[in-house]
Amino acid sequence: MLLDDERLDYLLAEDLRIIQSPSVFSFSLDAVLLARFAYVPLKRGTIVDLCTGNGAIPLFLSARTGSRIIGVELQERLANMARRSIDYNGLSEQIEIIEGDVKKAPSELGFEKYDVVTCNPPYFPAHEMSDKNLSEHMAIARHELHLTLDEAVLAASQLLKQGGKAAFVHRSGRLIDLIAAMRANRLEPKRIRLVYPKAGKEANTLLIEGIKDGKPDLKILPPLIVYGEDGEYTEEVRALLYGDK
């Protein structure tokens, strides 16, 4: 079941397992935060997760909803990892992984059919390829080599029904770019939460959710602090990662 340097990690809060690889792909805290931040229907409807990687967000979401979930991933190796994790957890009836280009997802999956779209897109412009030691898999996942922010937002909007919700996680420095792209594509920002590595530090991550053709009314949620002064996860983040026990 496992290939090369793959390992089977625990998703402790969800009591699930996931296949990861240090050289190919491992999910980050951002995936956890987005999966908990996004609105999801309890049972009805269908959710699409764009840039799904090794399927972490669909797995996290499966613990919150009985809705059908479709993950879209460009890279064959990552899509294969995601499918094997889903099969291992017995979730193949709820979660489907589509190997394909996010830009083509609306034409292939259907326009304006879906209730929720989540997306953890590549964060860095292609010209910021400073780390030459990145594997091809990680370079594609982290840098806008095959998908720009504007293209990701456009695909999300095209997939959503009117009134559907799209949730993104990104670098806080791209906040204006993200809001501009959302509004240009009929996604009205409704909720924002900024994530700070520690209290007193600048935010480095943002979570944002918009409604397709929604009315302007933005709520700025309380800050999320990742680490306490002791260098350990804060109580909120620890609960997200390990459950409320």
Side-chain angles (χ1 to χ4, degrees):
M1 176 185 174
L2 297 178
L3 307 175
D4 302 329
D5 62 352
E6 291 177 352
R7 64 180 188 265
L8 199 57
D9 287 347
Y10 282 100
L11 306 181
L12 293 171
E14 291 76 18
D15 193 25
L16 297 171
R17 304 291 294 274
I18 188 168
I19 296 169
Q20 308 224 87
S21 163
S23 65
V24 178
F25 189 89
S26 297
F27 75 85
S28 68
L29 178 62
D30 294 353
V32 183
L33 299 180
L34 178 61
R36 293 302 188 96
F37 172 79
Y39 161 85
V40 290
L42 288 179
K43 292 183 179 179
R44 296 182 180 179
T46 305
I47 301 164
V48 178
D49 179 52
L50 302 176
C51 310
T52 205
N54 65 341
I57 289 174
L59 287 170
F60 288 128
L61 291 176
S62 74
R64 296 184 55 207
T65 178
S67 298
R68 181 171 175 244
I69 304 168
I70 301 170
V72 180
E73 173 53 46
L74 176 67
Q75 300 190 61
E76 179 183 5
R77 177 70 191 278
L78 274 61
N80 179 266
M81 291 169 69
R83 289 192 188 103
R84 284 183 284 131
S85 291
I86 289 159
D87 289 343
Y88 182 89
N89 290 288
L91 291 168
S92 55
E93 290 190 6
Q94 182 183 10
I95 303 172
E96 179 184 4
I97 301 298
I98 304 293
E99 181 191 329
D101 190 331
V102 164
K103 297 188 291 291
K104 298 178 181 177
S107 59
E108 293 177 356
L109 297 178
F111 290 90
E112 301 194 335
K113 287 179 58 177
Y114 300 94
D115 302 276
V116 177
V117 173
T118 54
C119 183
N120 181 3
Y123 285 176
F124 304 104
H127 67 264
E128 289 187 16
M129 286 286 290
S130 56
D131 187 350
K132 303 300 183 184
N133 296 318
L134 282 178
S135 72
E136 180 186 5
H137 300 290
M138 289 188 178
I140 291 171
R142 294 180 184 178
H143 295 79
E144 295 180 337
L145 298 173
H146 295 285
L147 182 73
T148 66
L149 178 57
D150 286 346
E151 289 167 341
V153 174
L154 172 61
S157 177
Q158 290 175 333
L159 287 163
L160 282 175
K161 299 174 181 175
Q162 186 175 32
K165 297 184 178 183
F168 302 89
V169 61
H170 216 292
R171 293 188 298 165
S172 53
R174 300 294 298 276
L175 173 60
I176 302 304
D177 295 336
L178 192 42
I179 287 176
M182 291 174 72
R183 278 198 153 173
N185 290 286
R186 299 169 56 194
L187 297 176
E188 182 61 31
K190 302 292 281 187
R191 293 194 301 139
I192 290 179
R193 191 171 194 192
L194 293 174
V195 183
Y196 298 79
K198 295 183 76 170
K201 299 290 186 181
E202 292 183 357
N204 58 2
T205 302
L206 72 93
L207 298 158
I208 186 167
E209 183 178 74
I211 294 180
K212 187 167 184 177
D213 297 328
K215 295 180 180 179
D217 180 24
L218 178 64
K219 291 181 172 58
I220 307 227
L221 304 179
L224 192 156
I225 312 296
V226 178
Y227 294 104
E229 291 303 316
D230 57 1
E232 301 292 329
Y233 285 129
T234 59
E235 186 175 337
E236 181 176 5
V237 172
R238 196 163 55 245
L240 294 177
L241 288 169
Y242 306 125
D244 298 321
K245 299 175 184 178

